[in-house]
């Protein structure tokens, strides 16, 4: 083989090697990009699903509060009627309880406003139960005592449900405000902050009632 022929062969081999090597680099780069896309996609989906799970948890825990509040509202008319039979002239107290109950049951209230309404209702209930001290016959009434026990049970459940709800809201807000949740939430979806179930100021213990 002549020298020029050897040079030509070597040159052709170099071109083949460079072509093969270039394809390999392209494949490797493409594979890296594909992996990055898959990882980023998995990361976004995982974060989004976590936000959805936390949001649904706040909704479910709020539903539990709503159930117990409705139970509380259902018991109140029985209390009023029971007390009316022994203290009919305490009309102002009965009207105040009825009005506060109606306000608490009105629709369209957010969590904070509803907590304030429940706090007002709690204040009027305190006056209603104070009648038991003034009217021994009322205090000794079996029906009145039974409703008190049922209301106490409802209040305990409300307090627990409220604690669970507020904890769920806090976890949801933390996820929304920290990375990567804030980034993923910005991409779309119904991810909004929730109100805590707390009345403003001293009314924060609105739904907690204790009877002697």
């Amino acid at each position: 083989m002549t020298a020029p022929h050897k040079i030509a062969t070597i040159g052709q081999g170099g071109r083949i090697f460079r072509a093969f090597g270039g394809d390999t680099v392209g494949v490797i780069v493409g594979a890296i990009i594909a992996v990055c896309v898959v990882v980023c996609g998995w990361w976004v989906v995982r974060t989004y699903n976590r936000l959805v799970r936390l949001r649904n948890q706040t909704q479910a825990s709020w539903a539990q509060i709503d159930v117990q509040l409705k139970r509380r509202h259902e018991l109140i008319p029985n209390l009023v009627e029971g007390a009316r039979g022994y203290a009919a002239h305490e009309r102002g107290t009965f009207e105040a309880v009825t009005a506060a109950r109606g306000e608490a049951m009105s629709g369209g209230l957010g969590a904070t406003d509803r907590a304030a309404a429940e706090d007002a209702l709690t204040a009027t209930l305190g006056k209603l139960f104070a009648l038991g001290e003034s009217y021994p016959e009322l205090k000794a009434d079996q029906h009145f005592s039974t409703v008190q026990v049922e209301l106490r049970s409802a209040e305990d459940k409300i307090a627990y449900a409220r604690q669970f709800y507020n904890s769920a809201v806090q976890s949801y807000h933390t996820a929304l405000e920290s990375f990567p949740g804030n980034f993923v939430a910005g991409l779309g979806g119904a991810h909004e902050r929730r109100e805590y179930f707390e009345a403003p100021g001293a009314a924060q213990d609105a739904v907690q009632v204790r009877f002697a």
Side-chain angles (χ1 to χ4, degrees):
M1 181 179 295
T2 62
H5 182 68
K6 290 182 179 179
I7 294 173
T9 301
I10 294 173
Q12 184 178 7
R15 287 195 299 272
I16 294 174
F17 176 78
R18 288 195 298 272
F20 179 76
D23 291 342
T24 301
V25 172
V27 170
I28 293 174
V29 172
I32 293 174
I33 294 175
V35 169
C36 290
V37 170
V38 170
V39 170
C40 289
W42 172 83
W43 172 74
V44 170
V45 170
R46 181 175 180 273
T47 303
Y48 182 84
N49 287 342
R50 180 171 182 267
L51 290 176
V52 170
R53 184 175 68 255
L54 292 173
R55 182 189 64 193
N56 291 345
Q57 190 174 57
T58 64
Q59 294 172 342
S61 55
W62 174 256
Q64 289 301 312
I65 291 179
D66 193 53
V67 167
Q68 298 306 325
L69 289 178
K70 288 179 179 178
R71 175 57 179 162
R72 181 194 201 203
H73 299 156
E74 290 171 357
L75 291 170
I76 291 174
N78 294 331
L79 288 173
V80 172
E81 290 305 315
R84 199 190 302 272
Y86 293 93
H89 60 283
E90 299 285 353
R91 182 176 177 180
T93 299
F94 302 141
E95 290 179 349
V97 171
T98 301
R101 175 178 178 268
E103 181 65 24
M105 294 177 63
S106 61
L109 295 178
T112 301
D113 290 338
R114 192 168 182 184
E118 292 294 337
D119 178 67
L121 176 57
T122 296
T124 60
L125 283 176
K127 296 178 181 179
L128 176 60
F129 280 99
L131 295 179
E133 300 301 323
S134 302
Y135 299 88
E137 297 87 356
L138 174 60
K139 186 175 182 179
D141 184 83
Q142 185 62 41
H143 175 72
F144 193 75
S145 298
T146 299
V147 177
Q148 282 191 71
V149 172
E150 293 180 3
L151 185 58
R152 183 184 301 113
S153 176
E155 297 293 345
D156 288 340
K157 292 177 181 178
I158 291 170
Y160 175 79
R162 177 179 128 182
Q163 182 180 11
F164 185 79
Y165 168 77
N166 286 338
S167 178
V169 170
Q170 183 179 31
S171 297
Y172 182 50
H173 287 175
T174 300
L176 282 177
E177 295 168 2
S178 58
F179 187 83
N182 56 354
F183 172 77
V184 175
L187 296 178
H191 296 295
E192 299 177 353
R193 292 179 61 86
R194 308 282 177 175
E195 289 184 89
Y196 288 98
F197 189 61
E198 294 178 345
Q204 290 184 0
D205 292 327
V207 297
Q208 298 184 19
V209 179
R210 294 293 179 269
F211 308 113

